[in-house]
Amino acid sequence: MAKGQVQDLCTYLDSYLRNQKNIYIYVLFRSRSLFITGLMIGFMSLQYFLDSDLPKSHEEDARQGDQLEHKGSVNLTSPTNSSQTTRILCWIMTGPKNMVSRTKHIKETWAKRCHIVLYMSSVRTDFPTVKLNVSEGREHLYWKTIRAFEYIYKEHLDNADWFLKADDDTYVIVENLLYMLSNLDPEKPLFLGRRFQPFIRQGYMSGGAGYVLSKEALRRFMKGFATGACTHFSSIEDMALGKCMETMKVEPVDTRDVKARQTFHPCPPELHLARQFQKNPWYLDYEYYPPIQGPGCCSDFAVSFHYIYAVQLYALEYLAYHLRPYGYKYRFLSRENKYFNGTTKQLPLGPCPSVLEKDTQLPVEAGNPAE
Amino acid sequence: MKSKIGARVGSRRPIKMWSEGGSFVKGVALGGVFYLLLSLLGSFSPNAKSGSEDLHQHHHVQAQSNDNLKQLSESQTQELKDQVRVYCVIMVQPKILVYWAAAVGTWSKHCDKAVFYTSESSKALEAVDLQERDGWARLCKALKHAYENAGDLRWFFVAQPMTFAIIENLKYLLLTKDPSEPFYMGNALKSGELEYVAYESGIVLSYEALKRFVGVLDDKNKCPIRVNRLWKLSEDKQLAMCLKYTGVFAENGEDAHGMGLFNGKSLDALIKESMKNNPKNVVEGCCSDFAVTFNGMTPNQMQVMMYGVYRLRPYGHDFHDLLMFDPPEGSDND
């Protein structure tokens, strides 16, 4: 070998060995760090797999409950068509001066649970509100109702099966209403609400507690005005509509539950739940069915309350959808028994005291279930 | 020559890579084994009991999540349910009889034992007459009486006349906590250096904490019953001081999200606040789903709470809680 070549070789070998040493250190370091990484990954992955094969925590259960309420459509089986979804259109009777103080909070709470929600006013806004050709004020309430149903009939008849009217101070638990409706046929002429009397023989539904028309009932309401069978004979919206319903042979439904407790309420819960009053509250005179004061007033699956403003709206939302007693076995369970009465049986008038005879003793009505 | 050497070096690289891969695999395997060993060791003492002399390091007590509960057997959960029974100490006064009556007819029916303690007796309602005008002395006597009459109850809940409590949620909070440990909780506040549980939102004491309190009670230096007017603290702060001497410290009762469970205000007041502070998320920002107390509730509002808590609900929302509590006998508003 030439000297230059040996030198080259030595230099090469020297740098090669140095490289090897570096490589060795590098490899050692790399293998150590790989080992440590492997150790951590092994530890953490086993921890993950062993600890997370359990189902969701209760907070997730609660969150899932929240997700149920936010779904646009609720699948409920009905005896007529088990694969059909019960769709409801909710319209809120409101006006410019209540948008911020009342309607805004309805939008934040229960309105989103309806499949379609419309806010009926005399002006169009980006709330959004629908402009009806009416003036604001108590005397125009029935016109507003007529115009609202006209609009809905024209634009939305095929988009829903049931049509709810509510005030901007009504609180509605939509799931309970949907469950009630899932057992009824929207092609039948039916209307639901808190049944009042006198004035109308078959009774009418309290406007403030909210009332519901079936699709067929809406068609007949429109037909009534088209043919002149129904007219604007009064500005008392709920009573006048009730008269049109009677004229067009739309049947009122008994919306009490199987324990004869009401689901639609014309007043806030504290008024109905109070065991006794010094003076009878006004609605007792209007009751179609025998009135019950105290805890028996109200169904566990109540549908509505009236005269509910901002703070109480959120409070009811919290009580119904959020606050719950952990592990509590509710006395009245929905799964075991169909909770809702749903008859349209015509009860004979007489058991409830009329407006004039306040002191008449109530006889026990044979048709009503005894408690 | 160079190239030959280079080639040989190159051929060793894949082998080296393999052994590097091997060390990674070894690491993973060892890590797994290490974890298994640790969890096995951990499972030998499921109720790791700290010595009763130890101070509680954390001051936030949260309710158990269902994950932990699922690991228990049926007989164990039944045992827990029996162990978490509550003795309610309800402080009343005859001049606010209507609140007294409201408590009797509403939430107190859900206590395992509800005893009313009054400053002076009233013919209308049943209560233990402490014959005591002073608020602090009344509280001392009531707690002592409760301790002596506890029977086999191990948890104590102290309420004021306008408090509304949901006992099932209190039980949920206490579920896996050992009452032979000193627990003193509720809405924990701070006054200077003293951390105390606010009276109006309810005070929870375990049997051990109550035992220690009774032990130090009437010690002139630590916990006198008669306090000079000049040095008088509010009852809840006084209680905290006495307990502090025995090594018992206040803890804040919270849910799994860290939201307080004990409220010193009424629901309406809290909603109003939330409307101001969280206008887009009023209900969720207000109060916990498992709230235990509210205060400042009128009798009518308590009836509404009974209906709202124990009855009103939307159809179709079902929960799969691991413990079930029965409704009380002979009650019509829950």
Side-chain angles (χ1 to χ4, degrees):
Chain A
M1 260 190 294
K3 190 175 175 192
Q5 273 183 319
V6 172
Q7 199 154 24
D8 273 335
L9 185 59
C10 286
T11 323
Y12 180 78
L13 276 169
D14 185 33
S15 71
Y16 170 74
L17 284 166
R18 209 171 294 155
N19 261 351
Q20 282 292 80
K21 189 169 156 199
N22 290 343
I23 287 168
Y24 179 73
I25 290 168
Y26 168 66
V27 162
L28 189 70
F29 175 72
R30 213 165 90 174
S31 88
R32 284 262 162 84
S33 54
L34 273 173
F35 178 77
I36 290 166
T37 315
L39 200 77
M40 291 195 299
I41 289 176
F43 188 94
M44 288 191 295
S45 54
L46 223 67
Q47 180 183 49
Y48 173 76
F49 285 124
L50 287 182
D51 276 358
S52 74
D53 65 342
L54 301 164
K56 308 168 250 176
S57 67
H58 70 272
E59 311 101 59
E60 290 189 28
D61 276 348
R63 236 175 277 136
Q64 193 182 52
D66 287 340
Q67 280 163 21
L68 279 172
E69 74 185 74
H70 289 303
K71 261 196 217 155
S73 69
V74 184
N75 271 323
L76 294 163
T77 54
S78 74
T80 50
N81 190 340
S82 59
S83 61
Q84 194 174 47
T85 306
T86 308
R87 299 168 305 165
I88 189 159
L89 179 150
C90 305
W91 73 268
I92 320 275
M93 171 110 82
T94 186
K97 66 178 168 66
N98 289 340
M99 300 307 292
V100 174
S101 57
R102 298 188 193 180
T103 325
K104 183 176 87 167
H105 305 297
I106 290 185
K107 192 173 178 191
E108 293 289 329
T109 54
W110 65 265
K112 56 183 180 282
R113 299 184 186 111
C114 305
H115 297 88
I116 303 170
V117 59
L118 301 168
Y119 300 94
M120 301 294 190
S121 175
S122 56
V123 294
R124 205 194 85 81
T125 66
D126 290 334
F127 185 84
T129 54
V130 173
K131 178 183 157 69
L132 300 173
N133 192 9
V134 285
S135 316
E136 295 295 336
R138 228 186 155 73
E139 350 44 288
H140 306 282
L141 281 181
Y142 193 38
W143 277 121
K144 211 166 186 176
T145 305
I146 296 164
R147 297 276 173 257
F149 277 123
E150 270 174 11
Y151 174 87
I152 290 165
Y153 180 78
K154 188 166 142 222
E155 306 287 337
H156 292 286
L157 184 67
D158 295 321
N159 295 338
D161 310 301
W162 300 91
F163 303 86
L164 165 78
K165 175 260 171 185
D167 283 348
D168 53 20
D169 54 359
T170 308
Y171 181 74
V172 180
I173 300 178
V174 180
E175 287 88 339
N176 293 342
L177 179 55
L178 287 172
Y179 179 62
M180 189 186 284
L181 297 173
S182 69
N183 292 309
L184 300 170
D185 183 1
E187 295 299 333
K188 288 216 178 89
L190 302 170
F191 89 123
L192 297 87
R194 177 62 167 247
R195 203 159 167 186
F196 272 0
Q197 52 86 41
F199 313 126
I200 314 292
R201 178 145 249 285
Q202 73 170 12
Y204 63 98
M205 303 305 176
S206 152
Y211 54 76
V212 185
L213 269 65
S214 69
K215 202 199 284 266
E216 179 57 26
L218 177 58
R219 286 193 198 110
R220 292 195 186 190
F221 182 70
M222 289 293 108
K223 190 164 158 207
F225 276 90
T227 59
C230 297
T231 59
H232 182 282
F233 71 96
S234 163
S235 66
I236 305 173
E237 169 249 338
D238 46 13
M239 188 269 294
L241 187 130
K243 181 73 191 162
C244 183
M245 292 289 104
E246 188 178 65
T247 307
M248 301 307 292
K249 303 218 178 342
V250 175
E251 290 170 50
V253 176
D254 180 357
T255 54
R256 296 174 300 167
D257 69 14
V258 291
K259 292 198 173 245
R261 298 183 302 210
Q262 295 273 8
T263 51
F264 291 78
H265 300 94
C267 289
E270 52 262 33
L271 251 91
H272 295 288
L273 292 166
R275 289 185 194 274
Q276 57 206 43
F277 289 104
Q278 280 174 335
K279 189 179 105 136
N280 275 341
W282 62 268
Y283 55 83
L284 291 184
D285 294 332
Y286 287 82
E287 292 285 18
Y288 183 89
Y289 300 109
I292 301 171
Q293 192 60 36
C297 66
C298 314
S299 175
D300 285 20
F301 298 104
V303 170
S304 71
F305 291 98
H306 185 217
Y307 296 117
I308 308 293
Y309 308 107
V311 173
Q312 289 78 46
L313 207 62
Y314 291 113
L316 275 173
E317 179 88 353
Y318 173 67
L319 291 174
Y321 289 92
H322 294 264
L323 181 63
R324 68 181 188 92
Y326 182 83
Y328 185 68
K329 271 200 250 178
Y330 295 107
R331 279 188 210 273
F332 186 64
L333 295 167
S334 59
R335 296 249 182 262
E336 293 168 0
N337 40 345
K338 205 178 76 163
Y339 84 95
F340 163 62
N341 219 337
T343 61
T344 57
K345 190 179 80 170
Q346 285 279 35
L347 294 170
L349 284 178
C352 300
S354 67
V355 184
L356 300 169
E357 301 157 62
K358 278 183 201 164
D359 298 325
T360 310
Q361 192 59 288
L362 286 176
V364 175
E365 169 63 16
N368 291 334
E371 185 41 299
Chain B
M1 243 176 137
K2 246 191 216 175
S3 56
K4 273 197 194 153
I5 290 168
R8 246 179 262 153
V9 169
S11 72
R12 284 202 196 111
R13 282 216 182 104
I15 297 169
K16 285 223 166 63
M17 295 281 266
W18 173 247
S19 69
E20 284 164 11
S23 74
F24 178 79
V25 170
K26 278 184 229 165
V28 172
L30 206 65
V33 169
F34 191 46
Y35 174 75
L36 282 168
L37 264 166
L38 244 108
S39 63
L40 265 166
L41 283 167
S43 72
F44 273 124
S45 49
N47 295 321
K49 286 186 183 164
S50 53
S52 51
E53 306 309 305
D54 288 350
L55 297 176
H56 281 274
Q57 292 307 312
H58 12 261
H59 293 272
H60 297 269
V61 184
Q62 294 190 348
Q64 280 295 331
S65 75
N66 270 2
D67 289 348
N68 294 345
L69 292 174
K70 264 220 150 64
Q71 291 177 15
L72 303 169
S73 71
E74 276 234 28
S75 64
Q76 278 176 311
T77 52
Q78 182 57 40
E79 218 178 283
L80 277 183
K81 200 172 137 189
D82 291 335
Q83 197 181 282
V84 80
R85 294 162 71 229
V86 179
Y87 182 126
C88 294
V89 175
I90 309 170
M91 312 297 288
V92 289
Q93 284 180 0
K95 59 183 177 185
I96 37 167
L97 205 67
V98 62
Y99 287 98
W100 185 341
V104 172
T106 59
W107 65 270
S108 70
K109 290 189 270 191
H110 292 251
C111 303
D112 295 280
K113 183 169 176 163
V115 183
F116 292 80
Y117 294 89
T118 179
S119 53
E120 49 185 292
S121 65
S122 160
K123 287 205 182 70
L125 292 165
E126 214 178 280
V128 173
D129 185 2
L130 301 168
Q131 290 166 336
E132 187 60 67
R133 295 259 137 186
D134 177 56
W136 166 240
R138 257 207 316 273
L139 181 59
C140 292
K141 286 190 179 179
L143 287 174
K144 186 154 187 276
H145 182 275
Y147 176 68
E148 287 160 1
N149 292 278
D152 57 357
L153 299 175
R154 288 290 168 268
W155 290 100
F156 301 84
F157 171 67
V158 188
Q160 289 191 317
M162 288 169 95
T163 307
F164 183 89
I166 303 167
I167 300 297
E168 286 79 5
N169 289 345
L170 176 58
K171 292 187 177 189
Y172 182 42
L173 175 66
L174 303 176
L175 214 42
T176 51
K177 293 169 182 52
D178 184 358
S180 62
E181 297 255 316
F183 282 99
Y184 161 49
M185 49 182 153
N187 180 19
L189 303 173
K190 208 160 172 139
S191 167
E193 281 304 311
L194 180 69
E195 221 173 310
Y196 67 101
V197 170
Y199 204 168
E200 69 265 11
S201 33
I203 305 174
V204 183
L205 292 165
S206 67
Y207 186 77
E208 176 62 26
L210 185 58
K211 181 171 169 194
R212 291 190 192 188
F213 173 72
V214 171
V216 82
L217 189 58
D218 219 12
D219 178 327
K220 294 283 183 290
N221 298 320
K222 294 180 185 170
C223 194
I225 299 180
R226 304 286 161 201
V227 185
N228 193 315
R229 210 164 265 255
L230 284 171
W231 286 282
K232 219 175 178 141
L233 293 173
S234 63
E235 286 115 59
D236 40 16
K237 288 184 193 149
Q238 197 75 58
L239 179 64
M241 290 219 62
C242 293
L243 284 168
K244 201 169 170 180
Y245 277 116
T246 67
V248 181
F249 297 86
E251 290 173 287
N252 198 43
E254 302 167 353
D255 67 9
H257 304 285
M259 186 170 248
L261 296 170
F262 295 85
N263 299 295
K265 299 184 190 167
S266 70
L267 178 59
D268 283 3
L270 291 165
I271 295 278
K272 258 193 212 129
E273 271 178 27
S274 193
M275 282 173 71
K276 243 186 269 161
N277 301 331
N278 332 286
K280 279 290 162 190
N281 222 353
V282 178
V283 175
E284 263 139 46
C286 155
C287 317
S288 172
D289 284 11
F290 295 103
V292 177
T293 57
F294 296 93
N295 194 42
M297 309 290 286
T298 66
N300 273 344
Q301 285 173 334
M302 290 200 192
Q303 288 293 352
V304 177
M305 288 300 282
M306 289 302 282
Y307 174 68
V309 171
Y310 293 106
R311 294 176 55 203
L312 181 68
R313 59 205 188 276
Y315 179 81
H317 290 216
D318 288 324
F319 302 99
H320 304 289
D321 298 331
L322 288 159
L323 285 198
M324 300 304 279
F325 298 111
D326 288 309
E329 299 254 326
S331 176
D332 67 348
N333 56 0
D334 51 20

